[in-house]
Amino acid sequence: MQEHLLFSSFFSLVGRDPDGAKFDRLSRLVAVSKSKPKYELLLDINVTLFPIEEGDDFELSLVNSLTDDDGADVSEGYSYVMHGKIYRSEPVEGKFLAIYVSFGGLLMRIRGSAKELSSLHVDDYIYIMLKKI
């Protein structure tokens, strides 16, 4: 999977729906990475398919393919997978970068080290994979 892995980190959920809940089954998650360098994450998900509460920890991986070079399924063991497109990238405070992805209207913003996020490019199609830890 390493050749298809674009980004991976462990996160802690610190909040939900900062602007209030807009839909019954969807939530905007607010999370921070558990390791350094620190990443901030906003992510819209279907909470009926991936139930999660404040304080829960989860792993997030971004890949460009769901199969490795041997044809094995890299999403095995993950509970929630979506396909989307990177639509915006912008520098934030010097050596940091914000990456924006749309997963069919469910949005993600991840902010962190530009060096670690450098493999994510505008107009690339990616998969996000989540699992609780």
Side-chain angles (χ1 to χ4, degrees):
M1 179 169 104
Q2 292 296 346
E3 61 274 2
H4 298 290
L5 182 66
L6 303 172
F7 175 83
S8 185
S9 190
F10 296 97
F11 287 85
S12 289
L13 185 63
V14 296
R16 281 177 58 174
D17 300 313
D19 299 323
K22 307 260 190 270
F23 303 99
D24 292 337
R25 297 183 186 138
L26 301 176
S27 276
R28 178 158 289 169
L29 306 182
V30 180
V32 293
S33 63
K34 296 178 60 99
S35 60
K36 292 190 179 189
K38 287 291 183 190
Y39 295 93
E40 299 172 356
L41 176 72
L42 287 178
L43 176 63
D44 298 342
I45 67 161
N46 183 325
V47 291
T48 58
L49 298 177
F50 189 72
I52 190 165
E53 299 296 330
E54 276 189 50
D56 287 350
D57 296 333
F58 62 96
E59 181 181 356
L60 177 147
S61 295
L62 301 176
V63 296
N64 58 13
S65 175
L66 289 179
T67 55
D68 66 12
D69 291 338
D70 297 327
D73 183 2
V74 299
S75 67
E76 189 173 320
Y78 287 87
S79 308
Y80 191 80
V81 178
M82 295 189 292
H83 182 254
K85 183 178 182 178
I86 300 171
Y87 67 91
R88 188 164 92 193
S89 172
E90 61 187 20
V92 179
E93 302 170 10
K95 296 183 180 184
F96 297 97
L97 193 61
I99 302 291
Y100 297 83
V101 184
S102 176
F103 300 99
L106 299 179
L107 304 178
M108 178 184 84
R109 181 192 73 202
I110 186 166
R111 288 195 297 202
S113 164
K115 180 180 175 186
E116 299 297 321
L117 297 174
S118 64
S119 61
L120 303 171
H121 306 286
V122 173
D123 292 331
D124 284 354
Y125 289 93
I126 63 169
Y127 295 90
I128 186 172
M129 304 185 302
L130 303 174
K131 67 179 170 184
K132 288 187 186 178
I133 53 173

